[in-house]
Amino acid sequence: MQYDHILIRYGELALKGKNQKRFLQKLQANIRHKLKEFPNVTVKRTQGRMFVILNGHDPHEVIDKCKNIFGIHSFSLAIKVANNIDEIKSASLFALQNADGVKTFKVTVKRINKDFPYRSQDMNQILGGHLLTNTSHYTVDVHHPDLEIKVEVRSEATYITSGVVKGLGGLPVGTAGKTLLLLSGGIDSPVAGYLAMKRGVEIEAIHFHSPPFTSDRAKQKVLDLAEELTGFGHKIKIHVVPFTKLQQRIFQETPDGYGMTVMRRMMLRISEQVCRNEDILSLTTGENLGQVASQTMESMNTINEVTNYPVLRPLLTMDKDEIIEISRKIDTFDISIRPYEDCCTIFVPKAPKTKPKRDRVNYYESQFNYQDLIDEAVEGIEVIEITDEKQIKEEVFEDLF
Ligand code: ATP
Ligand code: MG
């Protein structure tokens, strides 16, 4: 006997009323995509349930993949058997004997198919008795069992599920529109992207690159970060903006530690232009209140003045250690701490203003024609598309050895 199904639970998706169908279709498509490397696996929806049908694949390998899919709240291994009491007994025994670290258990039977000759209460007794007589070191605990074995008798078959594995939660990526993530090589912005994806948002990324002051390795770092993020979605289009000319001009033209404020405003202007071209409705940054000079309330007020697009800041109120914890969990931390320079670290004034004034910035900006430089930067954008194919292939390759 072997586990042949995985039952997928999708938590709050159940609350989405009329939209539910769209959410479920997306979740199903995302699961199918992530499980592409298992050729025999199928993903089915039946009567308010979603199942991965393993068709011979190792359940634990498939579960590991499912752990990176937003919209899955938990899952359980399941065995499908005919509506036959002997088969149900053997499957329940298998479930108990194949669970690790279990001393106490409980059987819960739900009889949806009323034609089945045993009532739920009787089944609880029969199965509990069967498990106790065929094993020696388990006891029943109806209140806080180590393992709950659930038996659901449906019209087509009976499903025996055991144990609950926590999923990633959130909503299926692709159900909440698209955002343009300002992706630097730092620790914060990849985490911000991950959290936007958690709420179902699909991302494209924009990166400001200032060669020769920033190297190809700095750019590669950003591509590698984006590739990690594709592990939680499908593909990410990255817009790499040649920023050198505009950046040099900004720092020639802007006195009094205002260079960084102007630079950020230019980043937002360029990002908004990309949103317009790509039909994207919001921006996302890794900004975090009070972390550095550009992230004070006054700075955000002055920088945000240039765009009417919503700017999502998923990290706004987090502590740095909370952000680092997530970056380790999603495997971006080690990439982020590679030592290559970022355009901001190179041009940043020695004493950037922590309370930049809107009227001062507007005055400095009015002193030079930045629009042409913005247009030139937008025209020079290099678009790179990163897919999760490489990740899928690499893992298959590792499995062979
Ligand atoms: P991060 O760790 O994400 O770099 P940070 O704490 O270093 O963030 P800043 O350098 O002030 O903060 O940048 C704030 C935000 O501006 C970043 O989180 C990112 O969204 C955006 N940003 C900064 N530099 C770039 C860049 N070169 N390209 C794209 N976006 C950038
Ligand atoms: Mg940074």
Side-chain angles (χ1 to χ4, degrees):
M1 188 166 293
Q2 181 55 283
Y3 286 108
D4 48 18
H5 283 56
I6 297 171
L7 169 65
I8 305 284
R9 296 190 194 83
Y10 34 79
E12 68 183 296
L13 281 186
L15 304 174
K16 294 287 172 190
K18 274 195 214 150
N19 282 330
Q20 199 195 50
K21 189 161 172 221
R22 191 171 61 85
F23 274 79
L24 292 179
Q25 279 170 344
K26 193 75 202 167
L27 179 61
Q28 187 177 16
N30 290 354
I31 296 174
R32 281 192 178 132
H33 176 82
K34 279 290 165 229
L35 300 182
K36 249 185 354 195
E37 72 199 70
F38 304 101
N40 302 329
V41 156
T42 55
V43 185
K44 280 229 164 68
R45 281 190 291 137
T46 51
Q47 301 161 11
R49 288 294 173 97
M50 200 176 297
F51 284 107
V52 173
I53 302 163
L54 293 164
N55 289 321
H57 286 289
D58 182 279
H60 300 284
E61 281 175 18
V62 176
I63 277 194
D64 275 348
K65 280 277 158 188
C66 291
K67 281 182 184 162
N68 282 348
I69 302 174
F70 285 123
I72 299 182
H73 285 243
S74 69
F75 26 72
S76 298
L77 288 168
I79 307 172
K80 180 181 179 183
V81 295
N83 290 343
N84 168 305
I85 191 69
D86 290 327
E87 287 196 31
I88 297 172
K89 278 181 182 171
S90 340
S92 308
L93 186 59
F94 173 86
L96 180 61
Q97 290 177 324
N98 280 276
D100 290 333
V102 170
K103 292 199 179 84
T104 58
F105 74 90
K106 164 187 178 182
V107 180
T108 311
V109 178
K110 201 163 153 193
R111 189 181 57 144
I112 293 163
N113 175 0
K114 300 294 178 206
D115 292 337
F116 192 68
Y118 302 88
R119 289 184 316 187
S120 302
Q121 268 314 319
D122 303 338
M123 289 272 285
N124 282 337
Q125 301 286 334
I126 295 170
L127 293 175
H130 181 73
L131 297 183
L132 289 172
T133 43
N134 285 283
T135 56
S136 51
H137 46 285
Y138 299 106
T139 50
V140 171
D141 179 346
V142 288
H143 299 298
H144 304 287
D146 297 332
L147 182 74
E148 181 174 8
I149 299 170
K150 290 190 178 169
V151 176
E152 200 169 291
V153 186
R154 300 175 77 99
S155 54
E156 76 284 8
T158 296
Y159 295 90
I160 291 97
T161 59
S162 71
V164 177
V165 184
K166 208 165 162 352
L168 210 49
L171 301 172
V173 174
T175 55
K178 209 188 251 185
T179 196
L180 184 67
L181 171 68
L182 279 78
L183 185 59
S184 69
I187 293 172
D188 301 335
S189 41
V191 176
Y194 167 82
L195 291 175
M197 291 168 94
K198 178 166 188 247
R199 296 308 296 170
V201 178
E202 197 179 325
I203 58 177
E204 287 194 17
I206 185 166
H207 176 66
F208 297 88
H209 182 48
S210 300
F213 304 102
T214 56
S215 65
D216 275 350
R217 285 180 304 183
K219 179 172 143 191
Q220 187 58 45
K221 182 178 170 182
V222 172
L223 303 185
D224 291 348
L225 287 169
E227 196 193 321
E228 285 301 334
L229 292 180
T230 63
F232 303 97
H234 293 194
K235 54 179 191 281
I236 297 178
K237 211 172 172 186
I238 307 180
H239 304 262
V240 182
V241 184
F243 202 41
T244 319
K245 219 166 144 186
L246 179 55
Q247 216 176 9
Q248 283 178 314
R249 190 67 193 280
I250 292 168
F251 284 92
Q252 274 163 18
E253 302 284 346
T254 319
D256 303 336
Y258 267 80
M260 190 176 45
T261 314
V262 175
M263 185 184 78
R264 295 266 179 232
R265 287 163 58 109
M266 297 300 170
M267 283 184 172
L268 289 190
R269 288 184 174 109
I270 292 172
S271 301
E272 189 181 307
Q273 189 57 51
V274 171
C275 284
R276 281 212 196 84
N277 297 346
E278 300 282 314
D279 244 347
I280 299 174
L281 299 183
S282 71
L283 305 172
T284 297
T285 73
E287 286 168 304
N288 178 238
L289 202 53
Q291 198 185 76
V292 288
S294 64
Q295 297 172 25
T296 63
M297 199 66 86
E298 290 81 357
S299 273
M300 281 199 224
N301 179 283
T302 301
I303 293 167
N304 219 145
E305 185 188 15
V306 302
T307 182
N308 282 324
Y309 275 60
V311 180
L312 313 183
R313 299 181 175 92
L315 311 184
L316 193 71
T317 61
M318 286 189 179
D319 291 340
K320 193 74 189 185
D321 53 356
E322 294 173 289
I323 299 171
I324 289 177
E325 194 183 317
I326 301 176
S327 79
R328 286 189 195 280
K329 199 178 81 185
I330 64 172
D331 287 338
T332 54
F333 183 76
D334 288 338
I335 303 172
S336 292
I337 59 171
R338 286 183 207 157
Y340 313 122
E341 62 300 317
D342 178 69
C343 66
C344 303
T345 41
I346 285 173
F347 286 93
V348 78
K350 287 197 179 51
K353 273 274 173 275
T354 53
K355 296 184 178 177
K357 304 276 181 301
R358 284 186 173 197
D359 52 352
R360 293 282 292 280
V361 182
N362 281 307
Y363 172 73
Y364 295 139
E365 285 181 354
S366 70
Q367 298 302 300
F368 71 108
N369 181 3
Y370 60 80
Q371 191 55 49
D372 285 353
L373 291 166
I374 286 186
D375 293 344
E376 199 182 320
V378 171
E379 248 160 58
I381 284 177
E382 178 193 5
V383 177
I384 301 173
E385 197 165 282
I386 311 255
T387 65
D388 55 342
E389 294 299 319
K390 192 164 152 233
Q391 285 201 0
I392 291 176
K393 282 204 196 96
E394 269 174 8
E395 280 161 30
V396 172
F397 192 66
E398 277 164 18
D399 285 347
L400 294 175
F401 294 94

